[in-house]
Amino acid sequence: PLPAPVEVAVQSPGDTARAPDPGASGTRVPEPRSRELWLCLHFPRFALEAVAPSGAAGPAAVLDDAGRTLIACDAAAEGLGVHAGQGLNAALALCPGLVVHARDAALEDRLLAGLGRWLTQFTPLASREPPDAVFAEVRGSLRLFGGARALRQRVKEALAAQGLTLGIALA
């Protein structure tokens, strides 16, 4: 274990005595309370999960609109060294059996809008953040759903059951 920090006061001639910093002595200074609490849902494989059914056979990826760069890939492809941002030729060199899908931005937009509407069961204020995230202000709903942890778990389980890869945060 590291030793506890020691507070040292250094005063130059001519300095006047100052009150100590309220957080310097190790006491916890309460942070200001925010009036909002946002639930952020990020779908890192959204472009792929929009066009390919969950559990499709073989490693899979989605190309950008220009057809040159991968924008999403599944865990099987990642296990072979394929990743988003990689060029198509490099991905195929690593994984010759890669199933490549064209991006369907219109479908992604419709699905993201649907996820925003789905979130309104938890709060009246939900917003999509294209291409792969939605936000919901949930502070007023926490007591209805058993607190932040319970709400987060409920949302996570419901979306995982739909086959969506999800990153979730509260801020």
Side-chain angles (χ1 to χ4, degrees), residues 100-167:
V100 180
H101 299 275
R103 181 177 194 187
D104 188 342
L107 177 60
E108 290 173 40
D109 192 51
R110 286 193 308 272
L111 292 174
L112 204 57
L115 286 167
R117 285 190 301 276
W118 177 81
L119 273 173
T120 61
Q121 68 184 297
F122 303 106
T123 178
L125 185 57
S127 173
R128 60 187 167 149
E129 187 62 34
D132 56 8
V134 289
F135 295 94
E137 200 293 312
V138 296
R139 180 167 305 282
S141 304
L142 293 180
R143 277 189 266 168
L144 295 171
F145 296 99
R149 185 171 291 164
L151 174 62
R152 181 184 173 278
Q153 190 63 31
R154 185 172 178 173
V155 169
K156 184 178 178 180
E157 288 172 359
L159 293 173
Q162 297 299 316
L164 294 171
T165 304
L166 173 68

Side-chain angles (χ1 to χ4, degrees), residues 78-96:
E78 286 176 351
L80 296 169
V82 175
H83 58 85
Q86 193 170 44
L88 177 60
N89 290 339
L92 289 172
L94 291 169
C95 179

Side-chain angles (χ1 to χ4, degrees), residues 12-29:
S12 302
D15 280 354
T16 58
R18 291 183 228 162
D21 178 13
S25 65
T27 59
R28 185 164 182 233
V29 177

